Amino acid sequence: DGGITQSPKYLFRKEGQNVTLSCEQNLNHDAMYWYRQDPGQGLRLIYYSQIVNDFQKGDIAEGYSVSREKKESFPLTVTSAQKNPTAFYLCASRDGNTGELFFGEGSRLTVL
Amino acid sequence: QKEVEQNSGPLSVPEGAIASLNCTYSDRGSQSFFWYRQYSGKSPELIMFIYSNGDKEDGRFTAQLNKASQYVSLLIRDSQPSDSATYLCAVIRYGNKLVFGAGTILRVKS
């Protein structure tokens, strides 16, 4: 089945540790996005990529890094510089014809 | 000013009524507009998208776009308890940056 796969679904991290969230898509979409969602809040854009080997900062990129070496993959690293990393992280890819975003099931990160 | 603004709610409507959800956006260059529904703890799912001024209907849902007023709305007819969720408005800006509003919580009471 085509779709977006995020892993892990749940992740616990100690303060000061970096962690990488995986996002893989088999929809052949060029554009991919990472959003952060805090309880009771909307989605805030972290990074997005419109094509392989290119990405742009979103509204809250500080403390995060990404790479886009393959069309199918857009991993997000949450670094120790991110002050409040506990959140629900959503990856998405966008259909270039309709603009629709297709979301993964999300990764819930908790910093202990 | 936020790029995309929604009333956080909660908006409470009785079962069978029409629910009206509203969204305003700041960038006049915005081109495409989306409504997503999100259940607690789940990822958002697309309800409708609209590109042109006017109304677009799909089943019980109608999206309305007014670019002059920078306003997009979603009407849900014959609201059901299963419609209770958070509704997110999203806008594609120049450069394919897709920005979401904070969402409106809808509660349909049976």
Side-chain angles (χ1 to χ4, degrees):
Chain A
D1 287 355
I4 311 284
T5 302
Q6 287 187 242
S7 64
K9 194 169 184 178
Y10 299 96
L11 185 62
F12 297 89
R13 186 194 94 175
K14 293 183 180 179
E15 281 192 21
Q17 288 181 332
N18 291 354
V19 62
T20 296
L21 307 180
S22 170
C23 178
E24 302 280 331
Q25 56 107 352
N26 59 6
L27 299 169
N28 200 33
H29 292 162
D30 287 317
M32 296 187 73
Y33 299 77
W34 273 105
Y35 290 91
R36 168 182 172 143
Q37 188 173 37
D38 294 285
Q41 303 294 315
L43 278 64
R44 292 187 290 168
L45 182 62
I46 305 173
Y47 269 98
Y48 64 110
S49 169
Q50 298 188 64
I51 199 167
V52 174
N53 292 322
D54 185 53
F55 48 83
Q56 290 81 38
K57 292 182 178 180
D59 299 317
I60 56 165
E62 185 176 352
Y64 299 97
S65 66
V66 294
S67 63
R68 188 82 187 278
E69 297 176 1
K70 297 186 301 181
K71 187 175 188 176
E72 301 80 14
S73 180
F74 191 40
L76 173 73
T77 296
V78 184
T79 75
S80 56
Q82 170 51 234
K83 300 303 180 186
N84 297 295
T86 295
F88 186 47
Y89 291 89
L90 285 160
C91 178
S93 69
R94 189 170 63 85
D95 184 315
N97 295 318
T98 65
E100 178 183 357
L101 277 187
F102 292 78
F103 285 91
E105 292 191 342
S107 293
R108 194 168 297 279
L109 172 63
T110 301
V111 173
L112 304 174
Chain B
Q1 181 185 10
K2 292 182 180 178
E3 293 186 72
V4 180
E5 295 208 51
Q6 297 180 252
N7 188 324
S8 62
L11 172 66
S12 293
V13 300
E15 184 176 357
I18 295 175
S20 178
L21 304 163
N22 304 314
C23 173
T24 58
Y25 58 95
S26 61
D27 183 3
R28 285 193 173 274
S30 299
Q31 301 167 349
S32 305
F33 307 85
F34 302 82
W35 282 100
Y36 283 82
R37 176 175 60 197
Q38 186 179 27
Y39 294 111
S40 181
K42 302 296 184 182
S43 57
E45 53 184 345
L46 181 71
I47 298 175
M48 293 189 69
F49 58 84
I50 186 167
Y51 303 144
S52 304
N53 276 329
D55 295 357
K56 180 181 179 181
E57 185 175 322
D58 184 2
R60 295 187 297 114
F61 300 95
T62 299
Q64 299 174 318
L65 175 62
N66 183 326
K67 289 188 176 180
S69 300
Q70 296 174 237
Y71 173 94
V72 58
S73 65
L74 179 71
L75 301 178
I76 306 175
R77 290 181 298 280
D78 189 24
S79 295
Q80 301 297 309
S82 59
D83 293 326
S84 298
T86 298
Y87 288 80
L88 301 167
C89 173
V91 173
I92 291 184
R93 293 190 54 200
Y94 176 78
N96 289 324
K97 180 182 178 184
L98 201 147
V99 180
F100 283 81
T104 299
I105 297 171
L106 174 66
R107 294 179 181 157
V108 181
K109 299 183 177 181
S110 57

